Every structure is written in structure tokens, then in C-alpha cells.
Amino acid sequence: MKKMWVLMLATVLLLSACSSGGDGGSAAGGGDEKANEITIWAWDKAFNVAAMETAKEAYAKENPDLKVNIIEYAQADIIQKLNTGLNSGTSSGLPNIVLIEDYRAQSFLNAYPDAFKDLSSNITASDFADYKLGPTAFDGKQYGVPFDSGVAGLYYRTDLLEQAGYQAADLQDITWDDYIEIGKAVKEKTGKELLSLDPNDLGIIRMMIQTAGKWYSAEDGKTPDLANNAALKEAFTTYKAMMDANIVKLHSDWSQFIANMNNGSVASVPTGNWISPSIRQEASQSGQWAVAPMPKMAGQPNSVHATNLGGSSWYVMDVPGADQAADFVAKTFGSDKQLYQDLLNNIGAIGTYKPAVDGDAYAKADEFFSGQKIFTDFAKWTTEIPSVNYGINTYAIEDILVVEMQNFLNGKAIDDVLADAQKQAEAQFN
């Protein structure tokens, strides 16, 4: 097993940098019948860590003797620590449970399948949103417990759009071309930009192409699919049209992104539902926001008004304590309907556990969002998100595309842009 881990490390290194350090810990070994203590790694204290704290409290009602240590690390640090530990060929310093972003999961499962515990018999995979099952499974086995939904929506300022002549009904079945026209009207009537974008983050491109069931790689998750990807070509063209229409306000970091929403600089935010708490933090705008379905791609016949951005899932490492850790995730995120109600009420975390969506928490009207039942809408859109294989090279390919996008904005022909990106990706990964 150790030799295989070392040989397959190169796959993950394409995605994430590896360091030589590591934490101390127990020797390698499989699961056990009963452990007194487990350790969990997650990022984002206000969201993921808070969700795990809630699960810890729920599990403790029936299992008061288990000590659960939840350690917060930045996502980049978790990736580095996992690479370091797995490269060493031992379980030294590895956690019992770790949160991994869905875009990155396949790289780890492909490179280190024996490092993670097969949870196929611990949870019922079909109880979770279909689009989450691809990233969390490998070689016919279910390794991850799907957690939060990255289901996206078009958040918009109702007051600013009304000034431009638009009502909620006008946003219910639109294309990205329609969205740009709305942006032009908003800019003319209010002086505000329509949205805020980071030129080094192509999240909006990912959202666009997933509405059409496409990704940066082919269905095998490994072969780059750029040069002849019609959805990607349309997404690039749409992105440039937004820039050319002068309806985009640029930002360079998270704080600027949030500031652009909270200070009224932009009239809409097309992104994942996890942005809701950040929008709510500007209390003076209560009643001035609503959420519409995502625009679809005009030129892609399979495009729908539902997509995803981000999202993550829980994985059990095959180290001492694995059986106890598997029991923990199975009885909390894997099956506890009340837990998901609590997560929604207390944190605003939308899970992907289908049996929980009938709970009262999903049906509440939200006064901040103009009385809209936003969780009901998000739950509906979650079921409509096209399933794609994020593969093992999402971020590495995006590094190439970020550069080529700037070349496109500066006048390079789109076909040349995507052809050159294809060549670079093939040279790097093949």
C-alpha cells in the first residue's frame, strides 16, 4: 500500500503543492471496533466547523463518552497536510475525518484510494443529491458523505432592478444574454455595475458550463476538453460580452467582493447559496434582496436554470479509529434529518440529504430576502443540477484558462484561445 501511495502521488501534485513536513501521530492501521477519541479537520469556523460542532452535539446524546476534536485549518493547509501525510505512507498526523472540496476529491481518491474508508455500507448514497455522488465515489465505492450544497442562485437587489424597470417575474427564465441586457439597463438607470468578478477566479465560467452538463475535462475526468467544448466557448464569449458592456466591477479578494455587495456597488450576485450570510450582514438592506434561478446558456440546448459552485463532503481516513469515525458521520450527516434542520436554522447551511428537505426549516419565509422561501427554492434547484465529473485537474486547468481568458479579452481569437489551452493542458497532464 505504501509503495502505491508514493507512486500515485504525482497525480495529486498536479493539483496541490506538497510539503515535506508532517504532524506526529499513531502508526498506520485500519479501523477498529471502538475508539474513545477522533479528530476532524475542516475549514471555515462560521460554516463548516460550526456544522461539525452541531453534529458533535447531536452524536453526544447517544455517545457521551466519545471525545471529538475539531481542528480548524485553512483549506490550503488541509490539502498540504493530506499530501504530506499520504506521501509518507503512514497515518502519522492524519485525522479520522476530513472535509474535502468536491472539485478536489477525485484527485485524492484516484491517487490514494486505500487511504480512505469505504462508506458504502454506512450510508445510503441515493439519499443524497445526484450531482454530489460523482465527486464522492470512486471505482464503484462510496467514500464521501455528501455535505453542503453549492447550489447557486442569482441574488439581486430588488430596489435597483425596479429602478431599471424589472420585476421578479422578469428574472425567472432568462439566458446570460438577457442578463447582460438587464445589466446595461441597470447601469444606465442607476449607475451601478451588475456584478463583481475576480479576474483570477473563473467560478462564473464553471457555473455556466455546468448548467449545460459540461466541464473542463471529458467524462473520464482526466482528458482535457477545451478546444472543442461548445459550452466553454459560449461561456468565454459571454464573459467577454459582460466586460465589453462595462457592467462588471472587478475585485481582487474576498473582502472586496463582500464590500461590493454590502455597500450597494453591484445590483446582483450570481453565486453559491453560501453567500447568504454575507449578504445578510448588511442589515440595512433587509427586504431589498431576492434570489432568482440562474440564467441558462442560450446556445446550449441542454442548459438548465440550475448549477453549482463549490461544495464539500466528509471523508473518513482509514487509520486507527476509522470504524468509530464512520459511525459518527453515518449517524449525523448520513442520516439525521433533524441535524439538517438545525444546520439550516442556526447556520444557514443547505445540505444535500434528500429526506431532510421536507422539514419546516426549508419552508420558512425569509424577510431579509423579501419574504421569499429561499431554502425551498434552493432545495428545488439542487435536484436539477446537472451531474458532471469534476475530475482530477479542475484547478490546474483553470490556471491555464485564467491566462488565456486575458488573452481573449485582449483580442486573441476564441478558437485560438481554446486550442492553445488544450495543447497546454495535454502537455501538462499527458
Side-chain angles (χ1 to χ4, degrees):
M1 185 186 300
K2 295 179 182 179
K3 291 181 179 179
M4 183 183 71
W5 285 5
V6 173
L7 289 173
M8 297 184 75
L9 173 68
T11 304
V12 172
L13 288 180
L14 294 173
L15 185 65
S16 307
C18 177
S19 74
S20 58
D23 297 331
S26 59
D32 56 5
E33 289 301 320
K34 186 72 174 178
N36 296 321
E37 183 175 355
I38 61 173
T39 297
I40 301 168
W41 289 356
W43 67 87
D44 192 342
K45 183 177 182 179
F47 192 86
N48 299 315
V49 174
M52 185 53 80
E53 291 284 1
T54 304
K56 174 182 174 180
E57 293 177 7
Y59 190 77
K61 295 176 182 178
E62 300 294 333
N63 302 271
D65 296 331
L66 179 67
K67 183 178 180 182
V68 180
N69 304 307
I70 305 171
I71 302 176
E72 180 192 6
Y73 290 118
Q75 184 183 174
D77 291 338
I78 289 177
I79 295 165
Q80 183 181 51
K81 286 176 178 294
L82 282 180
N83 280 329
T84 299
L86 295 173
N87 185 37
S88 73
T90 75
S91 64
S92 177
L94 292 174
N96 298 98
I97 300 170
V98 62
L99 187 68
I100 300 177
E101 187 183 35
D102 292 340
Y103 294 143
R104 301 183 186 275
Q106 285 295 306
S107 65
F108 284 103
L109 294 177
N110 272 266
Y112 310 110
D114 292 337
F116 299 93
K117 184 174 177 59
D118 178 6
L119 300 177
S120 302
S121 63
N122 297 94
I123 66 171
T124 302
S126 60
D127 282 343
F128 295 88
D130 294 344
Y131 84 95
K132 292 282 281 192
L133 300 182
T136 55
F138 176 73
D139 198 23
K141 300 176 181 178
Q142 185 66 35
Y143 286 97
V145 179
F147 173 43
D148 64 315
S149 170
V151 60
L154 177 58
Y155 292 80
Y156 66 95
R157 282 281 298 271
T158 56
D159 55 335
L160 296 178
L161 264 70
E162 285 173 3
Q163 291 179 42
Y166 294 96
Q167 302 294 325
D170 299 319
L171 298 174
Q172 296 307 301
D173 184 21
I174 65 173
T175 65
W176 287 102
D177 295 337
D178 297 327
Y179 179 65
I180 293 172
E181 292 305 311
I182 291 171
K184 293 177 181 178
V186 168
K187 186 67 176 291
E188 179 182 356
K189 298 293 185 179
T190 71
K192 309 285 187 181
E193 276 80 23
L194 184 62
L195 74 163
S196 182
L197 293 176
D198 179 350
N200 293 313
D201 182 347
L202 297 183
I204 194 167
I205 298 293
R206 277 177 263 138
M207 287 190 290
M208 288 181 186
I209 63 177
Q210 189 163 356
T211 68
K214 300 293 290 185
W215 203 246
Y216 298 152
S217 52
E219 291 183 4
D220 64 4
K222 298 178 181 179
T223 306
D225 182 18
L226 307 173
N228 298 310
N229 189 327
L232 183 60
K233 181 176 181 179
E234 183 174 337
F236 262 57
T237 303
T238 300
Y239 188 100
K240 186 175 187 300
M242 289 179 182
M243 294 297 183
D244 292 345
N246 197 28
I247 59 174
V248 176
K249 189 174 185 67
L250 298 179
H251 64 265
S252 60
D253 57 34
W254 178 260
S255 61
Q256 289 181 9
F257 177 44
I258 301 303
N260 288 343
M261 296 183 305
N262 292 158
N263 65 20
S265 294
V266 296
S268 72
V269 187
T271 194
N273 70 87
W274 34 258
I275 202 66
S276 295
S278 297
I279 292 178
R280 293 179 200 274
Q281 72 185 24
E282 182 51 60
S284 67
Q285 294 174 0
S286 179
Q288 297 176 344
W289 284 92
V291 189
M294 287 293 285
K296 66 179 181 180
M297 305 185 79
Q300 305 304 308
N302 295 326
S303 183
V304 297
H305 292 293
T307 192
N308 175 79
L309 185 63
S312 55
S313 301
W314 301 105
Y315 294 81
V316 174
M317 307 295 295
D318 195 12
V319 301
D323 288 345
Q324 183 65 68
D327 186 72
F328 178 92
V329 294
K331 292 179 179 176
T332 54
F333 296 101
S335 61
D336 189 342
K337 291 192 290 185
Q338 183 56 47
L339 172 63
Y340 284 99
Q341 301 298 302
D342 295 339
L343 294 178
L344 201 55
N345 284 324
N346 300 333
I347 305 171
I350 300 177
T352 50
Y353 183 60
K354 291 188 286 191
V357 301
D358 294 330
D360 293 340
Y362 281 84
K364 288 183 178 179
D366 193 319
E367 293 309 314
F368 191 96
F369 291 98
S370 308
Q372 182 179 352
K373 296 179 180 179
I374 63 169
F375 295 130
T376 298
D377 289 334
F378 280 126
K380 175 180 178 293
W381 300 333
T382 294
T383 66
E384 300 169 354
I385 297 173
S387 298
V388 299
N389 187 345
Y390 297 136
I392 62 176
N393 298 313
T394 288
Y395 285 119
I397 291 177
E398 191 157 295
D399 287 342
I400 296 171
L401 293 178
V402 164
V403 176
E404 286 299 333
M405 175 62 82
Q406 292 307 308
N407 292 335
F408 179 47
L409 296 177
N410 290 330
K412 186 175 179 178
I414 184 60
D415 289 338
D416 293 337
V417 163
L418 297 182
D420 287 348
Q422 179 80 26
K423 292 176 184 176
Q424 293 175 58
E426 290 177 347
Q428 182 172 344
F429 307 131
N430 295 335

